[in-house]
């Protein structure tokens, strides 16, 4: 994992973007999506920083911490790239609609990490720490990063502007590594968890499915996508924008074709979690 992270592409020449051929509505729509991606990447910085802290406290292998540290630097770069792209396509945007470029404090998508008093020798520290990290990797990597990769694949296809395409390519190269790190980490941790911790992870999966479906699909249900083919192709001028339907179709296709099989392979029950997501959400 760490050896595959060494390469870094040159920083895109954002100053060379020419906004004049692009309608203002199209530039604004692109800025909204790129700014949203910047906030999401910023949230990933916070999430993986928290995971790193817990694992460092648990005195895990330095190699594992080194991989996480590099993953955090990837997310910092991704946030910078997305924010710079949003400003490049709509430089007048911050003055016209500052809310689009607002940078609120990210919220962790999980419960607080377990903490222990150094003088307290009665608690089993390893189990709750491993269980918490397993849940964090499930949410952030196994679901979040795995879903992000095909969405970046689609952006690379539809984007017609070379700068936006370069940004998408740079981020895409990292996402599959981040997803692989999560799946490998979860596979390593699961055998160390007791029955109650594994049951909690299964319950969490239903909550995660509900949250990702709500944020990615924007009200488009799986029944609306039934029987429809996913079409991702380069056509009209595009600054790195996907439609709501494309996001939803990628979400459902990735769940069925990639995420569900890997979860089954780890001994979790994605079908049951999916059926229970309405109550969990």
């Amino acid at each position: 994992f760490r050896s595959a992270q060494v390469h870094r592409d040159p920083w895109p020449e954002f100053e060379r973007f020419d906004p004049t051929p692009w309608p203002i509505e199209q530039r604004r729509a692109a800025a909204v999506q790129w700014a949203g991606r910047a906030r999401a990447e910023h949230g990933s910085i916070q999430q993986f920083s928290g995971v790193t802290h817990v694992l460092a406290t648990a005195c895990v292998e330095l190699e594992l911490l080194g991989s996480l540290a590099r993953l955090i630097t990837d997310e910092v770069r991704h946030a910078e790239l997305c924010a710079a792209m949003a400003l490049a396509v709509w430089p007048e945007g911050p003055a016209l609609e500052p809310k689009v470029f607002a940078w609120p404090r990210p919220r962790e998508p999980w419960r607080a990490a377990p903490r222990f008093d150094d003088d307290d020798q009665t608690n089993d520290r390893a189990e709750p720490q491993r269980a918490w990290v397993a849940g964090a990797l499930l949410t952030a990597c196994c679901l979040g990063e795995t879903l992000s990769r095909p969405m970046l694949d689609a952006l690379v296809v539809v984007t017609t502007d070379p700068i936006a395409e370069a940004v998408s390519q740079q981020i895409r190269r990292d996402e599959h590594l981040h997803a692989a790190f999560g799946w490998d980490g979860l596979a390593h941790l699961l055998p160390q968890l007791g029955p109650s911790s594994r049951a909690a992870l299964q319950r969490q999966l239903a909550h995660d499915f509900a949250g990702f479906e709500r944020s990615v699909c924007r009200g488009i249900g799986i029944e609306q996508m039934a029987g429809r083919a996913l079409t991702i192709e380069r056509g009209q001028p595009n600054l790195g924008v996907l439609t709501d339907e494309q996001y939803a179709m990628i979400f459902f296709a990735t769940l069925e074709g990639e995420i569900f099989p890997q979860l089954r392979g780890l001994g979790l029950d994605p079908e049951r979690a999916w059926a229970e997501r309405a109550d969990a959400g």
Side-chain angles (χ1 to χ4, degrees):
F1 174 76
R2 293 175 68 187
S3 62
Q5 293 179 304
V6 172
H7 178 71
R8 281 284 186 268
D9 288 331
W11 192 253
E13 297 181 279
F14 293 105
E15 67 278 2
R16 297 187 63 181
F17 176 77
D18 180 10
T20 54
W22 300 89
I24 181 64
E25 297 83 4
Q26 195 166 6
R27 292 194 292 111
R28 180 193 178 279
V32 168
Q33 290 204 15
W34 283 111
R37 291 170 194 145
R39 289 189 289 271
E41 299 289 354
H42 185 225
S44 294
I45 298 168
Q46 182 207 41
Q47 293 166 22
F48 292 128
S49 297
V51 173
T52 306
H53 175 77
V54 173
L55 288 176
T57 303
C59 299
V60 301
E61 302 87 346
L62 291 177
E63 183 179 3
L64 183 60
L65 294 178
S67 296
L68 269 168
R70 183 56 187 264
L71 191 149
I72 293 170
T73 65
D74 288 344
E75 301 294 6
V76 172
R77 182 178 175 89
H78 297 174
E80 292 178 315
L81 286 167
C82 292
M85 192 68 222
L87 286 169
V89 298
W90 198 27
E92 66 272 41
L96 296 174
E97 290 189 58
K99 287 185 177 180
V100 171
F101 296 87
W103 205 275
R105 187 178 71 177
R107 295 187 301 171
E108 293 180 343
W110 44 59
R111 59 186 172 83
R115 295 182 180 275
F116 301 97
D117 188 331
D118 287 339
D119 296 327
D120 183 1
Q121 302 300 320
T122 62
N123 287 317
D124 177 9
R125 302 185 181 203
E127 170 77 8
Q129 287 177 326
R130 289 172 184 150
W132 184 89
V133 171
L137 292 181
L138 174 65
T139 302
C141 292
C142 301
L143 299 183
E145 300 290 337
T146 302
L147 286 166
S148 179
R149 180 193 47 75
M151 292 176 186
L152 268 297
D153 289 342
L155 281 178
V156 170
V157 172
V158 303
T159 301
T160 59
D161 175 74
I163 300 174
E165 182 181 0
V167 172
S168 301
Q169 288 276 23
Q170 289 198 27
I171 299 173
R172 178 178 70 163
R173 188 193 62 245
D174 297 329
E175 299 302 82
H176 76 94
L177 295 171
H178 298 179
F181 172 81
W183 289 112
D184 289 347
L186 188 58
H188 174 72
L189 289 168
L190 275 173
Q192 305 175 49
L193 302 184
S196 62
S197 294
R198 293 177 67 94
L201 203 64
Q202 175 67 40
R203 292 192 298 273
Q204 177 192 318
L205 187 56
H207 286 276
D208 285 348
F209 280 158
F212 276 104
E213 183 183 22
R214 185 168 53 250
S215 62
V216 175
C217 298
R218 298 172 182 257
I220 299 176
I222 191 170
E223 66 282 351
Q224 297 170 255
M225 299 289 103
R228 299 181 57 178
L230 175 61
T231 301
I232 302 291
E233 56 187 13
R234 184 166 297 195
Q236 297 297 318
N238 190 305
L239 287 170
V241 172
L242 295 175
T243 67
D244 288 349
E245 286 193 348
Q246 287 173 328
Y247 277 120
M249 294 183 79
I250 292 170
F251 174 81
F252 294 122
T254 307
L255 281 185
E256 180 181 10
E258 188 170 351
I259 291 176
F260 274 32
Q262 294 205 69
L263 290 171
R264 290 189 210 105
L266 293 175
L268 295 170
D269 187 346
E271 285 81 7
R272 177 159 66 91
W274 181 257
E276 294 171 348
R277 75 192 190 285
D279 295 333

